[in-house]
Amino acid sequence: MEQYIELLKSNKIKVTPQRLAIVELMDVHGHISVRDIFAHIKANFPSLSLATVYKNINAMVESSFIKELKIVGQDAKYELIKEEHSHMICKNCGKVDDIILETNAIVTSASEISNYNIDESSVQLLGLCPDCQ
Amino acid sequence: MEQYIELLKSNKIKVTPQRLAIVELMDVHGHISVRDIFAHIKANFPSLSLATVYKNINAMVESSFIKELKIVGQDAKYELIKEEHSHMICKNCGKVDDIILETNAIVTSASEISNYNIDESSVQLLGLCPDCQ
DNA sequence: CTGACTGCAAACGTTTTGCACGGTA
DNA sequence: TACCGTGCAAAACGTTTGCAGTCAG
């Protein structure tokens, strides 16, 4: 709890119960959609408005401490920004898992081949998770 | 033209002027949004309906000969499926370019580390294109 | 105390749907 | 000719906005 308060404060965002609930849920779930954030929090906090969730998520993305994850065939999900990592996505159940991979080689290679100045990469690996195989 | 007719026929999709215009535009542009498809074709084909564009794109995705490309901060784009490739995206102007990269190493590595059965990867490299540097 | 945040309702833009007509095979 | 595709209008979504009341700092 204290950690979430600090996270918000260090990003100069006012601390409110709604915001704490959002970052806590994101931290626990790893990746979560707006729909799921709303459903989960609303259960224990009935006055919550969807508009508030949207406003806060947009503000947090703006402040660059959460980021949006777009996945083909799924709603956008949001996650707290921590160490850089890639995502594995199950084509059957939709589960998303983090994995830390060495992606420098790809970025370097792309920089050499093209004239782009690349400073960020997004790697998604699609397949079947252990449970769905 | 003949090639586009073949493409549709080989996917058991009836050939219509609207569909030919869509696949031709996609082939020429590489990656294009629904909005842009509609705008471009409508110019020479005023009776075209947006609903038709949506219905056809969905059918083509369903038939797996085009695919949806989701990019953070942009509308979804669609492209014909050809050889596997990665995408470089300009953070300034939004341009998307294809690049062929060796991604087997990453897939292999992820397969070894995790218990996922991975058969597809999506790599997006973000930065500045030559014109925007 | 003051400005920012919340919840509500309305507005908006995008995508989907149902239906009558028209075109492909 | 029979069926599928098209265009239109309406409906269904997801997301954003404006506003009045409330709360955090």
Side-chain angles (χ1 to χ4, degrees):
Chain A
M1 178 58 60
E2 190 57 40
Q3 46 183 324
Y4 304 131
I5 294 177
E6 282 314 312
L7 178 61
L8 292 173
K9 283 189 177 168
S10 67
N11 283 282
K12 303 190 183 10
I13 290 198
K14 229 178 234 185
V15 179
T16 68
Q18 294 86 340
R19 285 171 178 170
L20 283 173
I22 291 171
V23 295
E24 179 176 8
L25 195 56
M26 238 176 246
D27 189 31
V28 173
H29 272 70
H31 325 84
I32 189 163
S33 66
V34 168
R35 168 183 302 281
D36 287 346
I37 290 172
F38 180 66
H40 277 80
I41 301 179
K42 182 100 181 169
N44 299 312
F45 196 152
S47 72
L48 179 72
S49 156
L50 234 198
T52 298
V53 176
Y54 277 109
K55 285 171 187 166
N56 284 329
I57 284 181
N58 288 341
M60 292 175 190
V61 169
E62 195 70 25
S63 295
S64 302
F65 71 93
I66 72 173
K67 75 174 179 189
E68 185 180 318
L69 189 58
K70 289 193 172 186
I71 302 173
V72 169
Q74 295 191 23
D75 287 348
K77 290 183 160 51
Y78 296 85
E79 64 180 7
L80 297 179
I81 293 179
K82 349 168 231 188
E83 63 196 324
E84 196 169 311
H85 60 271
S86 302
H87 294 109
M88 296 184 298
I89 300 148
C90 181
K91 287 180 174 179
N92 183 243
C93 69
K95 185 162 64 140
V96 179
D97 278 316
D98 292 350
I99 184 172
I100 294 178
L101 292 172
E102 170 53 44
T103 55
N104 287 342
I106 280 192
V107 173
T108 303
S109 165
S111 298
E112 284 166 0
I113 298 172
S114 74
N115 292 313
Y116 271 68
N117 199 326
I118 298 164
D119 64 358
E120 198 182 333
S121 65
S122 158
V123 176
Q124 297 186 354
L125 303 166
L126 311 176
L128 293 178
C129 72
D131 294 343
C132 291
Q133 284 167 28
Chain B
M1 178 58 61
E2 190 56 42
Q3 45 182 326
Y4 303 130
I5 294 178
E6 282 315 312
L7 178 61
L8 293 173
K9 282 189 177 168
S10 66
N11 282 282
K12 304 192 183 5
I13 291 196
K14 226 179 236 183
V15 178
T16 67
Q18 293 87 340
R19 287 171 177 169
L20 283 173
I22 291 172
V23 294
E24 179 175 9
L25 195 57
M26 237 176 247
D27 189 32
V28 172
H29 271 70
H31 327 82
I32 188 163
S33 66
V34 169
R35 169 183 301 282
D36 287 347
I37 290 172
F38 181 66
H40 277 81
I41 303 179
K42 183 99 179 168
N44 299 310
F45 195 153
S47 73
L48 179 73
S49 155
L50 233 197
T52 297
V53 176
Y54 277 108
K55 285 171 187 165
N56 284 329
I57 284 181
N58 289 341
M60 292 174 190
V61 169
E62 194 71 24
S63 295
S64 302
F65 71 93
I66 73 173
K67 75 174 179 188
E68 186 180 316
L69 189 59
K70 289 192 172 185
I71 303 173
V72 168
Q74 295 191 21
D75 287 348
K77 290 183 161 50
Y78 296 86
E79 63 180 6
L80 298 179
I81 293 179
K82 351 168 230 188
E83 63 196 325
E84 197 169 311
H85 60 270
S86 302
H87 293 110
M88 296 185 298
I89 299 147
C90 181
K91 287 179 173 179
N92 182 242
C93 69
K95 185 162 63 142
V96 179
D97 277 316
D98 291 350
I99 182 171
I100 294 179
L101 292 173
E102 170 53 43
T103 55
N104 287 342
I106 280 192
V107 172
T108 303
S109 166
S111 298
E112 284 166 1
I113 298 172
S114 75
N115 291 313
Y116 270 67
N117 198 327
I118 298 165
D119 65 358
E120 198 182 332
S121 64
S122 158
V123 176
Q124 297 185 355
L125 303 166
L126 310 176
L128 293 178
C129 72
D131 294 343
C132 291
Q133 284 168 26

